[in-house]
Structures are given as C-alpha cells and as structure tokens.
Amino acid sequence: MILTFILTSCQNEKKLNGTWISAYQYEENDSLMESTTGIPFNEVFTFDNGTFNLKQFKYQIYNDGRTDNFKLKGNKFVIADNESYFSDIIEPLTNDSIVFNGLNSNLNGVYKRLADSLKNKTPEFKLTGKKFERNYRKWTDTIHFVNDSVYTSSGWTMGNSELMWERINQNGFDILFTDIYPPFVIKNKSGKDIFISTFEYEKEDYILTEIE
C-alpha cells in the first residue's frame, strides 16, 4: 500500500538528498508495474538541502535543465515558493524509490535513488563513432554511435526518424540518455567492455562490448 509522504520542514527535504534517475511513468488508474508512455522517461534529479537540479534528455524536452529551490509542504513539492507550481509526492515504494504525481505531465513518475558506488571512476572514454553489442535478456542488439547525437540500433527503430543520444555527468554519475531505451548509468570500462545499469521496474546490469 502506498502511503502519503508526510513531511515536515528542512529535515524532510534532506531525505531527498542525492541523485535520482527516472524509471517509468504510469497513469493514476494503472498498475505501478505497467509503463504507459511507450517511450523512455529520461530525467535525472539531484537534491541538496532544499535545492534541486533537474536534467532531461535535450532531444525530447525543449528546456532540458533546471536548478531551483524547493520546499516540502505536507505532501506537496513546491518549487521556488510558488504554490501554483507543485506536485504531490507519494512515499517511496522502497527505500530507494519515490513517486512524483504529475510533476511534468498527467502521468506519475517513478524515480530510483542512485548509490555512490555506481559513479564511473575509470579514465574518460568516448562513445562517438564506435559500435557495441549488448545482450538484452533473450535478444542481442548492436548499437552504433554514429556521431555525437545520432545512433543506430539493430533491434529498434522509430520509423524514419533518427535515434538520438546524449551523455551527461550529473553529480559524478555518467548518464546515457537515448531514444527507445531507459537511461543507462555507465559504471566502468575494462578493455572492450563497458558495464552499465538501467533502472526500470528493477535494477538490471548489462555489458556493452565494443566490436569492429
């Protein structure tokens, strides 16, 4: 059962401290385990003692970033003291999940808290121009990062539209936003292998293996 997130003052705002990555969206009457958007939900929040920084996928959202102050009033997430711009917060489903009710749309957004152990500590490396193979559950997908914004996938297309990607650093986390896929957290690189995690209904770990 989901309970209302009852919060009081600054102490409660600190409960959000850390970085949270988007997982999935659902409508009010949907099961929490069913995504309804058909496209990934690409956002990363960092909260720090009453301030937040939001980064969104620039190829899906015109205004792709925002930094501002916030307060928690009851179960309301109020931005910059503007009572007309707030969202309901629903208590975490677990210790590392939280739901914002209609923050950016009519859908509820589920976010997962990122552990510091997921920060990429390997020397900087590039994706542009390279091809990788990924074994995803029962499928194998070949991903080619054609340039610094376009990629191709052997397993997925969007009609005649190009597939776009963006790599960002958010609070020390190496994040890969793409069309089609949920956000990737790039954890480290060893030889030809890049170790990544995604967070949708649960954390899943994969390896991107560079190929010729």
Side-chain angles (χ1 to χ4, degrees):
M1 179 179 180
I2 298 176
L3 302 176
T4 304
F5 202 9
I6 304 299
L7 303 160
T8 59
S9 176
C10 298
Q11 273 192 334
N12 296 308
E13 285 146 16
K14 290 181 180 179
K15 291 180 181 179
L16 291 179
N17 281 356
T19 298
W20 302 72
I21 197 166
S22 56
Y24 60 97
Q25 292 177 313
Y26 68 96
E27 291 182 343
E28 191 111 357
N29 296 325
D30 288 344
S31 163
L32 292 180
M33 299 304 292
E34 294 179 1
S35 174
T36 61
T37 63
I39 61 174
F41 173 39
N42 286 296
E43 294 184 352
V44 183
F45 266 109
T46 295
F47 296 97
D48 183 15
N49 296 335
T51 65
F52 74 90
N53 176 264
L54 168 65
K55 176 64 180 175
Q56 298 167 298
F57 187 22
K58 66 181 179 181
Y59 297 111
Q60 291 178 349
I61 303 293
Y62 178 72
N63 293 316
D64 63 328
R66 179 171 184 177
T67 300
D68 218 323
N69 298 318
F70 76 94
K71 291 182 180 179
L72 296 174
K73 298 183 178 180
N75 67 329
K76 305 296 185 184
F77 179 84
V78 180
I79 297 175
D81 285 325
N82 186 351
E83 295 283 355
S84 65
Y85 186 45
F86 63 81
S87 169
D88 290 334
I89 299 180
I90 301 172
E91 188 167 4
L93 310 180
T94 67
N95 288 334
D96 61 357
S97 297
I98 197 168
V99 181
F100 282 93
N101 178 14
L103 185 61
N104 293 307
S105 67
N106 293 324
L107 300 172
N108 295 338
V110 180
Y111 298 80
K112 305 286 186 174
R113 189 196 297 269
L114 296 181
D116 283 346
S117 60
L118 296 173
K119 292 182 177 180
N120 183 6
K121 296 180 175 63
T122 54
E124 183 178 349
F125 57 89
K126 303 293 184 183
L127 299 177
T128 302
K130 297 180 178 180
K131 293 182 180 180
F132 297 89
E133 184 176 88
R134 178 178 73 128
N135 293 313
Y136 175 72
R137 298 177 184 173
K138 297 180 179 180
W139 302 278
T140 297
D141 189 18
T142 299
I143 302 168
H144 180 201
F145 295 96
V146 179
N147 54 38
D148 62 2
S149 60
V150 175
Y151 79 98
T152 61
S153 165
S154 65
W156 302 90
T157 63
M158 288 181 59
N160 295 323
S161 300
E162 292 182 320
L163 296 175
M164 310 303 290
W165 68 281
E166 178 187 13
R167 185 179 178 186
I168 67 166
N169 184 289
Q170 177 81 349
N171 194 31
F173 294 97
D174 193 352
I175 307 295
L176 178 62
F177 289 150
T178 66
D179 286 321
I180 301 295
Y181 300 110
F184 296 109
V185 180
I186 300 174
K187 298 181 292 187
N188 60 72
K189 182 178 186 295
S190 177
K192 292 184 176 293
D193 293 335
I194 298 175
F195 297 86
I196 61 175
S197 293
T198 61
F199 296 79
E200 196 169 5
Y201 308 127
E202 60 185 16
K203 178 176 177 285
E204 296 185 351
D205 299 313
Y206 303 103
I207 299 174
L208 294 178
T209 301
E210 187 176 353
I211 59 176
E212 299 297 327

